[in-house]
Amino acid sequence: MRPPRVGIGWRPEIDLSVERLRPDFVEIPAEDVDPRRIPESLRLLRGSGTPVLPHAVSLSLGGAEPLRLDRVRHLAEVAEAVEAPLVSDHVAYTGAGRWDAGHLLPLPRTRDALDVLVENVLVAQEALPVPLALENIAALVEWPGAELGEAEFLARLVERTGCRLILDVANLHGNAHNPGTDPQEFLAALPLERIAYVHVGGGIVRDGVYYDTHAHPVVPEVLELLADLNSRTELPGVLLERDDRFPADAELAAELAAIREALR
Amino acid sequence: MRRDQRQRLAAQQAELVAALVRGGEEPAGFDGEQLRVQREMLVGKRRRLVERLRPDLAERLGDRFRGLFDSYAAEHPRPRGSGVRDDAGAFTRWLRHHGHLRRRWFRRG
């Protein structure tokens, strides 16, 4: 059994650090990349054989309003430009009516919401040149009237669309800390064989609430969840996300080392 | 997939977003404390993104930046499809309109 690949989220602010850290793969923020002008750093990484995976936040696949096909096409073009094996977005919506939330909001876990999500995902898959993976988000609010459990909702989504999953263990930890998901139950009910890779990110507790900031170190509980998950299934890869308050290379390297340690 | 499913979901989703970004009525069945936490998180994210794009603005406003931005944001939710640059531009106009920013042109002589 080969150990999972360990990657890091490429961001323009840490492009040189990412190159120096020699990750097994990188993820790029799909909306920020112009497919006709791929940054040199990414071309170098591609040239050295590092897979580059576009990760989107704007498709709003769980939104009830018509899917923005221009955004799906942009994601498809970025995927082609970097020869990505896979693209991704989230199980979420980002706005409704006149207003943009500017963030990923949770979906109600109802059959209506699942049907809408499935339909949007099927349309997106048609327009994408490579497989699509969908990620669990960190929810700060819980919808009333859930008809399905969290893992059940994702399992049905996978069953009906054939999509892959990105399992974010920091988001899972956040949901365990905040709305009170049971991570053990969640992992036991999830189709783990559909995981494309895992996300690990930092966060912070303020006033008793865990915030998934990607601007702070990874908390030990998240690494414990990663180790637990790793003991249940053969993980293809794990990726560290950092979006703000970028630390020195040594600190990023230490976070990657801690991830590798949790995977032993 | 029936049309009424989408319509029902669209109404629910719009109600939650309105409650979170423009002080709309709290939708039934939600936890008030969770809504408050989510609302503050959203405005905090908006503020940090604008601050990253326009550190000069944050510097000029100093301690007033946070309070002023949050007042602006409460009155002006981000329209669909707008980005951080639009937000920063609208915030700057709002500041000028309310007299919080004096124009500082370069002066000669």
Side-chain angles (χ1 to χ4, degrees), chain A residues 226-258:
Chain A
L226 176 64
D228 178 357
L229 173 63
N230 186 54
S231 70
R232 292 169 189 254
T233 186
E234 196 170 336
L235 292 173
V238 179
L239 181 124
L240 174 67
E241 294 182 291
R242 183 81 183 214
D243 294 322
D244 206 349
R245 299 192 199 197
F246 295 104
D249 286 15
E251 201 178 310
L252 288 175
E255 295 233 281
L256 293 174

Coordinates of all heavy atoms in Angstrom, one line a residue, chain A residues 226-258:
Chain A
L226 N -7.9 12.9 10.8 CA -7.2 12.4 9.6 C -6.6 11.0 9.9 O -6.7 10.1 9.0 CB -6.1 13.4 9.3 CG -5.2 13.0 8.1 CD1 -6.0 12.9 6.8 CD2 -4.0 14.0 7.9
A227 N -6.0 10.8 11.0 CA -5.4 9.5 11.3 C -6.5 8.5 11.4 O -6.3 7.3 10.9 CB -4.6 9.6 12.7
D228 N -7.6 8.8 12.0 CA -8.8 7.9 12.1 C -9.3 7.5 10.7 O -9.4 6.3 10.4 CB -9.9 8.6 12.9 CG -11.1 7.8 13.1 OD1 -11.2 6.7 12.5 OD2 -12.1 8.2 13.7
L229 N -9.4 8.5 9.9 CA -9.9 8.3 8.5 C -8.9 7.4 7.8 O -9.3 6.5 7.1 CB -10.1 9.6 7.8 CG -10.4 9.6 6.3 CD1 -11.7 8.9 6.1 CD2 -10.4 11.0 5.7
N230 N -7.6 7.7 7.9 CA -6.6 6.9 7.2 C -6.6 5.5 7.6 O -6.2 4.6 6.9 CB -5.2 7.6 7.5 CG -4.1 7.0 6.7 OD1 -4.2 6.9 5.5 ND2 -3.1 6.5 7.4
S231 N -7.0 5.2 8.9 CA -7.0 3.8 9.4 C -8.3 3.1 8.8 O -8.3 1.8 8.8 CB -7.1 3.8 10.9 OG -8.3 4.2 11.3
R232 N -9.2 3.8 8.3 CA -10.4 3.2 7.7 C -10.4 2.8 6.3 O -11.1 2.0 5.8 CB -11.7 4.1 7.9 CG -12.1 4.3 9.4 CD -13.1 5.5 9.4 NE -13.3 5.9 10.8 CZ -14.5 5.6 11.5 NH1 -15.4 4.9 10.9 NH2 -14.6 6.0 12.7
T233 N -9.5 3.6 5.5 CA -9.5 3.4 4.1 C -8.2 3.8 3.5 O -7.4 4.5 4.1 CB -10.7 4.3 3.4 OG1 -10.8 4.0 2.1 CG2 -10.4 5.8 3.6
E234 N -8.0 3.4 2.2 CA -6.7 3.8 1.6 C -6.9 5.1 0.9 O -7.7 5.2 -0.1 CB -6.4 2.7 0.5 CG -5.0 2.8 0.0 CD -4.6 1.6 -0.8 OE1 -5.3 0.5 -0.6 OE2 -3.7 1.7 -1.6
L235 N -6.4 6.2 1.5 CA -6.6 7.5 0.9 C -5.7 7.8 -0.2 O -4.5 7.6 -0.1 CB -6.3 8.6 2.0 CG -7.3 8.6 3.2 CD1 -6.9 9.5 4.3 CD2 -8.7 9.0 2.7
P236 N -6.2 8.4 -1.3 CA -5.3 8.7 -2.5 C -4.4 9.9 -2.2 O -3.3 9.9 -2.6 CB -6.3 9.0 -3.6 CG -7.6 8.5 -3.2 CD -7.6 8.5 -1.7
G237 N -4.9 10.9 -1.4 CA -4.1 12.1 -1.2 C -4.7 12.9 -0.1 O -5.9 12.8 0.3
V238 N -3.8 13.8 0.4 CA -4.3 14.8 1.5 C -3.6 16.1 1.1 O -2.5 16.2 0.8 CB -3.8 14.4 2.9 CG1 -4.2 15.4 3.9 CG2 -4.3 13.0 3.2
L239 N -4.4 17.2 1.2 CA -4.0 18.5 0.8 C -4.1 19.5 1.9 O -5.2 19.6 2.5 CB -4.7 19.0 -0.5 CG -4.2 20.3 -1.0 CD1 -3.8 20.2 -2.5 CD2 -5.3 21.4 -0.9
L240 N -3.1 20.3 2.1 CA -3.1 21.4 3.2 C -3.6 22.7 2.5 O -3.0 23.1 1.5 CB -1.7 21.6 3.8 CG -1.6 22.7 4.7 CD1 -2.4 22.5 6.0 CD2 -0.1 23.0 5.1
E241 N -4.6 23.3 3.1 CA -5.1 24.6 2.6 C -4.6 25.7 3.5 O -4.9 25.7 4.7 CB -6.6 24.6 2.6 CG -7.3 23.6 1.7 CD -8.8 23.8 1.7 OE1 -9.4 23.4 2.8 OE2 -9.4 24.3 0.8
R242 N -4.0 26.7 2.9 CA -3.7 27.9 3.7 C -4.0 29.1 2.8 O -3.5 29.2 1.7 CB -2.2 27.9 4.1 CG -1.8 29.1 4.9 CD -2.2 28.8 6.4 NE -1.8 30.0 7.2 CZ -1.4 29.9 8.5 NH1 -1.3 28.7 9.0 NH2 -1.1 31.0 9.1
D243 N -4.9 30.1 3.3 CA -5.4 31.2 2.5 C -5.0 32.5 3.0 O -5.3 33.5 2.3 CB -6.9 31.1 2.4 CG -7.4 29.9 1.6 OD1 -6.7 29.5 0.6 OD2 -8.4 29.3 2.0
D244 N -4.5 32.6 4.2 CA -4.3 34.0 4.7 C -3.2 33.9 5.8 O -2.9 32.8 6.3 CB -5.6 34.5 5.3 CG -5.6 36.0 5.3 OD1 -4.6 36.6 5.1 OD2 -6.7 36.6 5.6
R245 N -2.7 35.0 6.2 CA -1.6 35.1 7.2 C -0.6 34.0 6.9 O -0.3 33.1 7.7 CB -2.1 34.8 8.6 CG -3.1 35.8 9.1 CD -3.4 35.6 10.6 NE -4.7 36.2 11.0 CZ -5.0 36.4 12.2 NH1 -4.2 36.1 13.2 NH2 -6.2 37.0 12.5
F246 N 0.0 34.1 5.7 CA 0.9 33.0 5.2 C 2.1 33.0 6.1 O 2.8 34.0 6.3 CB 1.2 33.3 3.8 CG 0.0 33.2 2.9 CD1 -0.6 34.3 2.4 CD2 -0.5 31.9 2.6 CE1 -1.7 34.2 1.6 CE2 -1.6 31.8 1.8 CZ -2.2 32.9 1.3
P247 N 2.5 31.8 6.6 CA 3.7 31.7 7.4 C 4.9 31.5 6.6 O 4.8 31.3 5.4 CB 3.4 30.5 8.3 CG 2.5 29.6 7.4 CD 1.8 30.5 6.5
A248 N 6.1 31.4 7.3 CA 7.3 31.1 6.6 C 7.3 29.7 6.1 O 6.5 28.8 6.6 CB 8.5 31.3 7.5
D249 N 8.2 29.4 5.1 CA 8.3 28.0 4.5 C 8.4 27.0 5.6 O 7.8 25.9 5.5 CB 9.6 27.9 3.7 CG 9.4 28.6 2.3 OD1 8.4 29.5 2.2 OD2 10.2 28.4 1.4
A250 N 9.2 27.3 6.7 CA 9.5 26.2 7.7 C 8.2 25.8 8.4 O 8.0 24.6 8.7 CB 10.5 26.8 8.7
E251 N 7.3 26.8 8.6 CA 6.1 26.5 9.3 C 5.1 25.6 8.4 O 4.5 24.7 8.8 CB 5.4 27.7 9.7 CG 4.4 27.5 10.8 CD 3.7 28.8 11.3 OE1 4.5 29.8 11.6 OE2 2.5 28.9 11.4
L252 N 5.1 26.0 7.1 CA 4.3 25.2 6.1 C 4.9 23.8 6.0 O 4.1 22.8 6.0 CB 4.3 25.8 4.7 CG 3.5 27.1 4.6 CD1 3.7 27.7 3.2 CD2 2.0 26.8 4.8
A253 N 6.2 23.7 6.0 CA 6.9 22.4 5.9 C 6.5 21.5 7.2 O 6.3 20.3 7.1 CB 8.4 22.5 5.8
A254 N 6.5 22.2 8.3 CA 6.1 21.5 9.6 C 4.7 21.0 9.5 O 4.4 19.9 10.0 CB 6.4 22.4 10.8
E255 N 3.8 21.8 9.0 CA 2.4 21.3 8.9 C 2.3 20.1 7.9 O 1.5 19.2 8.2 CB 1.5 22.5 8.4 CG 1.5 23.6 9.3 CD 0.0 24.0 9.7 OE1 -0.6 24.7 8.9 OE2 -0.4 23.6 10.8
L256 N 3.0 20.2 6.8 CA 3.0 19.0 5.9 C 3.6 17.8 6.6 O 3.1 16.7 6.4 CB 3.8 19.3 4.6 CG 3.2 20.4 3.7 CD1 4.1 20.7 2.6 CD2 1.8 19.9 3.2
A257 N 4.7 18.0 7.4 CA 5.3 16.9 8.1 C 4.3 16.3 9.1 O 4.2 15.1 9.3 CB 6.6 17.3 8.8
A258 N 3.5 17.1 9.8 CA 2.6 16.7 10.8 C 1.5 15.9 10.1 O 1.0 14.9 10.6 CB 1.9 17.8 11.5

